[in-house]
Amino acid sequence: QNLHEDPISAVTTKSAASEVLDATMITNFFVISPRGDTVIAKSYRSKSGVGAHERSHTEAFFRKVKFWDGVAPGTPGMDTTLGLGSGGNKLSTDSLGGGSGEGSETKDSKKFGDAPPVFVMPDGYSYMHVKRNGLIFGCATEKNISPVVVIELLSKIAKVFKDYCGTLSEESIRKNFILLYELLDELLDYGYPQVTQTENLKAFVYNEPIVVSAVADTGKMINPKTASASAVHKPVISSVDADGKKTSLAANQKNEIFVDILERLSVLFSSNGYVLNSTIDGCIQMKSYLAGNPQLRLALNEDLIVGKNSGSTSYSSGVTVDDINFNDCVNLSEWDHGRTLSFYPPDGEFIVLSYRMTGEFKTPFRIFPSIEEVEPNKLEIAVHIRAEIPDNHFGANVSIEVPLPNSTTAATCNVVSTPGATGVNAEYVSQEKKLVWTLKKFPGCTEQTMRAKITLSGPCTSQIRREIGPINMSYEIPMYNVSSLQVRYLRIAENMPGYTPYRWVRYVTQSNSYVCRL
């Protein structure tokens, strides 16, 4: 199954039937900064004749995304004040039709998550968005179109912007807005997606990007050896640096290729520390700066088994994944007998393959919580975390959150840390009623404990007890992967004398949903 059979291409040709084109029309596109500033905005044709300035649309959209209250304001019978009117804060969940049994609670006492990627606003448009590096890439449409196509299109636009700017940030977009508007003219025509591949856009782009230095990642600052070379942030075309000096890709160009093996873990623990559910979502991502675009050969574990029901017993100790999706540029002729892929790398970042693994695997961190009622209105909570990764690895930017009951009046917490941990801090956030425990570095084969004393406004009932938790943990582990999937080698298929490419391989494990019940 091919991963990048561009789902946009099926609906993007101008020669398609007019009803298909109408179904994919985008009214306007915009990029919003983390502060709510509209960095890029482009309007396409609209049949409704709405004459409001696009800034009023994007400002109202940003307020809704930033302060999401669980209400889709454009839906008939629901709040249309965008949270600005006096009546907006009196809506109960009964009017939402949720039937969750919490209708007696007002919206002020509710905790809503992030805004969904698709919702309707009072202007009658459907707004869709994705978030990339703190920026919001969004668009509006008055048609009943496929949200999956538009979300994929927005992701493609963000990827193209990053490929041509080198880094994706507010500063790089502001310095390169002429280039990005030129790209938008080729990406979208009258709201219809057109050319979305990085390499195909090169023939139509004449402006040069201004290179902006990448934002430092604190997780990589801990161990500089895990940071990829600065070349990974180079644009795919010749560029101009901050001093106005032109840099050509051909001049002093290192033949480099960057390979990232990324894994995101979703794990659910019971209150006694046992794993109830666990999943690994992984991918191998590349970015190539090889001159001449030679064919590459990528080899994985020889004992890799695809499918739990494959019936193979000879590789019982090997790596078993549930399924794998390949990029459409990959040649699979040698996959079955040698676990080897061959392909011509396209321009920019691309995912060679993605895979999924479920079942038992060794979790990098184990969580052991405990709750003790010392007095009718006082609780003691202890959270013990054990790092089960090797001692030569560490967890970076670790954060543990423990939600507390709404009746909490005060909380104090202290941490028992083992040597090697840095940047340890624990505090009670009264506005959000939760404990936040952070560690900048969590060494492997060590244990950390946080203890908190909670004071409630009344006696602790079973209902209040259920409001505690679940514990949510987020982290990143550089140069480590849980699945044991390894790149055996990455080489050029043909023997080219004097051609010595630099290969950079990085393993990163991140938490996707790492939750422990209480």
Side-chain angles (χ1 to χ4, degrees):
Q1 182 183 357
N2 288 331
L3 176 67
H4 278 303
E5 287 180 345
D6 197 348
I8 302 169
S9 61
V11 291
T12 56
T13 56
K14 289 184 179 179
S15 60
S18 60
E19 60 269 17
V20 177
L21 290 177
D22 286 341
T24 59
M25 190 180 72
I26 293 172
T27 306
N28 56 61
F29 168 82
F30 50 85
V31 179
I32 302 179
S33 73
R35 298 187 307 274
D37 300 331
T38 304
V39 187
I40 285 182
K42 192 170 179 65
S43 296
Y44 302 97
R45 65 184 184 182
S46 172
K47 294 179 181 178
S48 60
V50 178
H53 192 271
E54 71 269 2
R55 182 171 293 180
S56 62
H57 293 283
T58 55
E59 286 179 355
F61 165 80
F62 178 77
R63 286 198 301 270
K64 197 63 183 173
V65 171
K66 186 77 172 177
F67 308 106
W68 179 251
D69 53 6
V71 180
T75 306
M78 292 191 177
D79 175 28
T80 58
T81 61
L82 294 180
L84 303 177
S86 59
N89 292 330
K90 302 299 182 183
L91 187 69
S92 71
T93 53
D94 289 341
S95 63
L96 301 181
S100 60
E102 299 174 341
S104 59
E105 288 186 296
T106 62
K107 197 174 67 174
D108 288 336
S109 64
K110 286 194 163 299
K111 297 177 182 178
F112 293 99
D114 294 334
V118 182
F119 56 86
V120 182
M121 293 286 282
D123 56 11
Y125 288 172
S126 298
Y127 283 79
M128 309 178 193
H129 73 283
V130 297
K131 293 181 180 179
R132 296 290 185 273
N133 292 12
L135 301 168
I136 298 177
F137 288 75
C139 68
T141 176
E142 58 182 349
K143 296 292 182 181
N144 185 19
I145 66 175
S146 169
V148 177
V149 173
V150 178
I151 295 297
E152 175 71 11
L153 172 64
L154 294 174
S155 301
K156 283 272 187 178
I157 293 175
K159 174 187 176 298
V160 168
F161 281 10
K162 182 180 180 182
D163 287 341
Y164 278 86
C165 293
T167 58
L168 191 61
S169 64
E170 182 181 354
E171 182 185 4
S172 66
I173 288 180
R174 289 188 184 277
K175 287 192 174 182
N176 293 287
F177 74 95
I178 297 178
L179 168 66
L180 299 184
Y181 273 111
E182 186 180 22
L183 285 168
L184 270 181
D185 287 340
E186 305 299 335
L187 285 161
L188 294 169
D189 249 351
Y190 296 99
Y192 307 144
Q194 298 295 319
V195 183
T196 59
Q197 296 294 340
T198 300
E199 57 268 27
N200 296 341
L201 287 165
K202 280 186 174 180
F204 310 114
V205 174
Y206 297 96
N207 284 283
E208 296 175 335
I210 300 173
V211 177
V212 176
S213 59
V215 180
D217 186 350
T218 55
K220 296 171 185 174
M221 290 166 59
I222 299 174
N223 186 354
K225 290 188 295 183
T226 67
S228 57
S230 60
V232 78
H233 301 296
K234 291 184 299 187
V236 295
I237 56 177
S238 58
S239 57
V240 178
D241 59 20
D243 298 327
K245 183 179 179 181
K246 183 174 180 178
T247 58
S248 173
L249 286 180
N252 300 322
Q253 168 71 23
K254 278 186 178 181
N255 289 313
E256 295 177 303
I257 185 164
F258 300 88
V259 183
D260 285 342
I261 294 90
L262 306 176
E263 292 188 348
R264 293 177 175 85
L265 307 185
S266 299
V267 181
L268 175 62
F269 293 96
S270 64
S271 57
N272 52 11
Y274 288 103
V275 176
L276 299 177
N277 190 17
S278 55
T279 307
I280 300 176
D281 291 301
C283 69
I284 297 181
Q285 182 174 284
M286 286 191 181
K287 192 168 187 180
S288 173
Y289 293 101
L290 299 177
N293 196 26
Q295 185 180 17
L296 301 178
R297 288 168 58 86
L298 175 71
L300 304 179
N301 310 49
E302 288 183 330
D303 55 0
L304 176 63
I305 303 171
V306 180
K308 289 186 175 181
N309 300 322
S310 60
S312 176
T313 58
S314 58
Y315 300 135
S316 57
S317 61
V319 180
T320 303
V321 298
D322 290 22
D323 51 61
I324 292 185
N325 292 336
F326 297 96
N327 193 306
D328 56 359
C329 70
V330 173
N331 184 349
L332 299 174
S333 59
E334 300 180 56
W335 172 253
D336 289 334
H337 65 271
R339 294 300 186 235
T340 303
L341 307 173
S342 58
F343 55 91
Y344 292 93
D347 290 329
E349 279 186 350
F350 69 101
I351 296 176
V352 180
L353 62 87
S354 64
Y355 57 92
R356 186 170 58 94
M357 177 186 296
T358 59
E360 295 184 1
F361 54 82
K362 189 174 181 180
T363 55
F365 296 98
R366 295 286 296 273
I367 305 174
F368 302 94
S370 65
I371 303 177
E372 182 181 355
E373 186 176 337
V374 292
E375 293 183 22
N377 65 332
K378 289 188 178 181
L379 300 174
E380 284 191 2
I381 299 177
V383 180
H384 182 76
I385 300 179
R386 185 170 68 223
E388 298 193 340
I389 55 179
D391 55 6
N392 59 335
H393 294 278
F394 61 89
N397 297 331
V398 180
S399 175
I400 300 98
E401 295 184 356
V402 185
L404 298 179
N406 289 327
S407 58
T408 303
T409 57
T412 58
C413 45
N414 65 299
V415 177
V416 180
S417 294
T418 56
T422 59
V424 183
N425 182 50
E427 61 179 348
Y428 168 61
V429 182
S430 58
Q431 291 181 343
E432 301 180 22
K433 302 290 185 183
K434 66 179 180 181
L435 300 172
V436 179
W437 177 21
T438 56
L439 301 91
K440 194 172 183 181
K441 183 177 181 180
F442 195 144
C445 296
T446 62
E447 300 180 357
Q448 314 288 334
T449 304
M450 179 191 69
R451 291 186 172 90
K453 296 182 180 180
I454 314 300
T455 303
L456 306 175
S457 59
C460 181
T461 62
S462 59
Q463 177 65 31
I464 293 177
R465 182 74 174 257
R466 284 196 292 268
E467 294 181 20
I468 305 175
I471 300 173
N472 183 51
M473 182 177 183
S474 62
Y475 57 84
E476 178 176 304
I477 309 174
M479 298 311 295
Y480 178 81
N481 69 334
V482 177
S483 68
S484 299
L485 186 76
Q486 301 288 328
V487 174
R488 279 191 292 134
Y489 64 79
L490 173 65
R491 61 177 68 139
I492 296 174
E494 299 178 5
N495 186 15
M496 303 173 67
Y499 196 94
T500 55
Y502 293 85
R503 291 166 289 244
W504 305 88
V505 179
R506 178 178 61 171
Y507 296 86
V508 179
T509 296
Q510 297 174 332
S511 60
N512 183 35
S513 174
Y514 214 78
V515 176
C516 180
R517 292 174 177 171
L518 276 172

